[in-house]
Amino acid sequence: SAYFGAIGNDGTYYVCCSESAVQAGACNDDEEELGQLILVPSNEYGYNIDVRSFGGGDMEDTMNVRFSKTSQAALVFGNCQPTTTLRIQGTVTWTSNVTAGMLPIYTLITVFYAGLCLWYGQLMRKHKESRINIEHWIFSTVALATLNATLETLNFTTEVYGTNENMFLKITSLLVSLTRHSVTRCLYLVLSLGLGVATASLSRIITFLIAVFLATDLILLWAMHIAYYMNIHIDIPYSLQLVIAMECIFTFWIPIALCHTMYQLHKNEEHAKLIRYKWFMAIYFLTATLSFLESIFYRFNRSTMREANDLITLVPLVCVAVLWRPNPNQQMYSYVLLEDDKEDEFNDVELTETFDDRSIEEDRKQIV
């Protein structure tokens, strides 16, 4: 951050570092500063100045200045060479960091999500007799991801080919994206807890905790991102610490719950379910590995961060949808079927015991 220009000892405001400005104490007499704009360093937030210097002649190259968020900005052209004439032609327009070359990637992701949603919904209708509860969670998450991809593609298209920033579409896409992130994470947690597979339903305490975590996560993320993009101040005490705490809770809760569910399945000798959950564990750790590699690569190349994040989000959701796809044998992985089997075994025992009692009575009559 810096201030533009300086006031000398004579009370004059100097913009360029000249001999008179040096005598007035507005700048130093260094060769690098003479003939340049005066920039005074400042620790205050909000005075960020991006200086681009160029020589004489016609400027055919385009210079881009990127802003981290929506804010007021001033474009200043300065000429500190008294013998040089400065002539400015052209217009200043709003540009986006999204390029036209990125649009095919997001279009393909949107089409893929839409196809996945239609495919999964068709399988649910075809095999509705063998449907299990977790299929509704997966379909809702895929549908939300499809809506998010569609809004992001529309937003990026308007940024590339539009002349102004569409804040309504941008904020709507942002809110849907944050919701998709939180809901997808809850889906992985519910799968790890074995809902409908290893247990008939979640306890009230776990259900309450998931609801509280989801609501808190959404409210904090919405407030923080809206304040960032709208350039407004929203003071929520410990908001960043709470968001980090939510990330840590889900990061450790999901693998712990997944290991406990696999232990229960192994203990009960439910091998078909155990194989499916081994695949799910491989998917989860693959996602964690890709996220870790992304965080390392992000330090060196930020231009591909958004595309990499979208692909990392796409891969595990597609794997889960394929792994838990509706099929005629889906009830093999349902907890309800286990209850039915136990009831059948109990009835078989009762019938056997009744038959044995009748045989004993007949034997007694024959003896008498």
Side-chain angles (χ1 to χ4, degrees), residues 348-365:
D348 292 340
V349 172
E350 287 185 346
L351 290 174
T352 304
E353 291 178 353
T354 305
F355 178 78
D356 293 340
D357 292 341
R358 291 178 180 177
S359 300
I360 293 173
E361 291 294 334
E362 292 178 357
D363 292 339
R364 289 180 178 178
K365 289 181 181 179

Side-chain angles (χ1 to χ4, degrees), residues 70-283:
T70 301
S71 60
Q72 295 179 352
L75 180 62
V76 179
F77 290 93
N79 179 20
C80 294
Q81 304 297 329
T83 60
T84 304
T85 302
L86 177 65
R87 183 177 62 182
I88 302 173
Q89 292 180 343
T91 58
V92 179
T93 59
W94 176 86
T95 59
S96 172
N97 60 348
V98 180
T99 62
M102 298 166 57
L103 293 180
I105 299 176
Y106 289 103
T107 303
L108 290 176
I109 292 177
T110 303
V111 172
F112 191 87
Y113 269 125
L116 181 66
C117 185
L118 293 175
W119 170 74
Y120 201 89
Q122 184 179 3
L123 288 180
M124 288 183 64
R125 290 190 298 268
K126 182 178 180 181
H127 305 290
K128 59 182 179 179
E129 293 81 7
S130 59
R131 187 180 303 171
I132 59 179
N133 294 331
I134 200 63
E135 293 178 5
H136 297 283
W137 285 73
I138 298 175
F139 178 77
S140 300
T141 306
V142 173
L144 186 60
T146 304
L147 177 61
N148 176 39
T150 304
L151 291 175
E152 282 191 346
T153 303
L154 291 175
N155 179 38
F156 296 153
T157 303
T158 57
E159 288 188 5
V160 172
Y161 297 105
T163 57
N164 295 313
E165 189 177 17
N166 191 332
M167 289 303 300
F168 174 77
L169 187 59
K170 189 180 188 68
I171 295 299
T172 303
S173 174
L174 174 66
L175 296 180
V176 174
S177 176
L178 295 175
T179 305
R180 187 265 309 160
H181 170 74
S182 299
V183 171
T184 303
R185 193 164 53 180
C186 288
L187 170 66
Y188 297 154
L189 177 59
V190 168
L191 285 172
S192 301
L193 292 171
L195 178 62
V197 178
T199 179
S201 61
L202 301 178
S203 64
R204 293 183 179 180
I205 297 178
I206 294 181
T207 304
F208 174 76
L209 289 176
I210 294 176
V212 170
F213 290 156
L214 178 61
T216 305
D217 194 33
L218 282 178
I219 293 174
L220 291 176
L221 289 176
W222 284 359
M224 293 173 62
H225 283 78
I226 289 177
Y228 179 82
Y229 281 98
M230 298 298 294
N231 197 22
I232 58 179
H233 179 70
I234 299 178
D235 187 12
I236 302 178
Y238 305 104
S239 57
L240 181 60
Q241 291 80 357
L242 287 174
V243 171
I244 296 176
M246 295 296 171
E247 292 286 342
C248 295
I249 289 174
F250 279 95
T251 300
F252 290 99
W253 193 359
I254 291 176
I256 292 174
L258 182 58
C259 292
H260 180 266
T261 300
M262 293 179 63
Y263 171 75
Q264 293 294 331
L265 296 177
H266 177 74
K267 181 180 179 181
N268 297 329
E269 297 182 355
E270 301 175 31
H271 301 291
K273 297 180 181 180
L274 184 60
I275 293 175
R276 174 172 288 190
Y277 268 85
K278 286 182 178 179
W279 277 104
F280 180 58
M281 174 172 281
I283 294 170

